Amino acid sequence: LSSELYWWTAFFNIAFFKNQPVETPIISFERKSVKNRGHYMNGRNGFGIKENININRCHLDRPLWEILSTLLHEMCHSWQNQHGKPSISWFHNKEFKFKMSNMGVVPNDKGHHIWVADPFVFFLEKHGIKFGYPRNSEGIIKVPQEIKIKGKSKLKKWRCLCGQTARVGREEFYAICTLCEGEFVLAG
């Protein structure tokens, strides 16, 4: 998968970033929160590597086109960092969404892909990648939105009378809230 993603990185640079290509990133496959499909890291890490795109190991079982849309998404963050104006919050700004939409991958404010279309779909289909979903009359493939994935945390949620919460990894937990002076009980 790694060598294939490097090939697609070079292809996406030619197809989508043309005169403003992104630096070839190091692609990693670290396990992160199940809510995160991938992320772009700017700045040098402990190995001195400047450009790093992580594809979350939790989601490697997704269809290749979904992994490639994540790769393109993270490359767009790299492009924006080098040539545009990156968002100052965790939301994706207008410039980012406009660039992604022009490539055929449309994200919402939080970065979840809502639908895909040409040229992204065209290029992938030309290289034999199947989407498994039909295009609508406008040539759009709606990306199915997953039910929220629950993590595998073993922490239990405890709550006091005023609603403050604590997550604790022990079977028994004895604590008093400093705000309401109520005892924390296991939340149902």
Side-chain angles (χ1 to χ4, degrees):
L1 179 63
S2 179
S3 62
E4 188 165 358
L5 292 183
Y6 279 110
W7 185 90
W8 281 102
T9 299
F11 179 82
F12 288 158
N13 255 335
I14 293 166
F16 297 122
F17 298 103
K18 299 174 177 102
N19 298 330
Q20 297 178 323
V22 301
E23 291 180 37
T24 301
I26 295 299
I27 299 174
S28 58
F29 300 94
E30 293 178 40
R31 185 174 300 278
K32 298 292 181 182
S33 165
V34 293
K35 296 176 185 176
N36 182 320
R37 293 184 182 219
H39 68 272
Y40 164 74
M41 292 176 283
N42 180 35
R44 300 209 184 272
N45 66 12
F47 296 107
I49 297 167
K50 188 176 178 189
E51 296 288 314
N52 185 352
I53 290 176
N54 185 65
I55 305 295
N56 193 345
R57 290 181 76 103
C58 296
H59 298 291
L60 292 181
D61 59 346
R62 295 183 298 145
L64 182 57
W65 72 267
E66 288 188 39
I67 294 171
L68 291 174
S69 70
T70 299
L71 176 65
L72 184 60
H73 179 115
E74 303 311 331
M75 286 179 71
C76 192
H77 282 299
S78 178
W79 170 85
Q80 194 174 36
N81 188 55
Q82 295 170 31
H83 304 286
K85 294 186 190 250
S87 177
I88 55 173
S89 72
W90 60 273
F91 281 101
H92 294 76
N93 64 18
K94 288 180 184 179
E95 179 186 57
F96 180 88
K97 291 189 285 188
F98 181 75
K99 182 76 169 168
M100 287 295 294
S101 297
N102 282 341
M103 294 185 284
V105 180
V106 177
N108 62 16
D109 285 343
K110 294 182 180 178
H112 301 132
H113 300 163
I114 301 168
W115 52 265
V116 292
D118 292 336
F120 178 76
V121 173
F122 173 81
F123 285 136
L124 269 61
E125 286 179 339
K126 281 292 184 190
H127 286 86
I129 295 184
K130 307 281 186 223
F131 283 81
Y133 300 102
R135 291 181 187 232
N136 68 15
S137 60
E138 298 164 348
I140 293 170
I141 298 173
K142 291 195 177 201
V143 177
Q145 299 301 306
E146 297 176 359
I147 300 169
K148 285 189 176 183
I149 300 169
K150 187 171 181 170
K152 296 179 182 177
S153 174
K154 294 181 180 174
L155 300 178
K156 293 187 169 134
K157 191 177 199 178
W158 296 77
R159 180 166 295 165
C160 71
L161 295 172
C162 70
Q164 298 297 315
T165 60
R167 292 190 184 268
V168 180
R170 308 189 90 191
E171 287 296 320
E172 295 180 14
F173 176 62
Y174 301 101
I176 303 292
C177 175
T178 58
L179 297 174
C180 68
E181 298 183 1
E183 186 177 328
F184 278 87
V185 295
L186 189 60

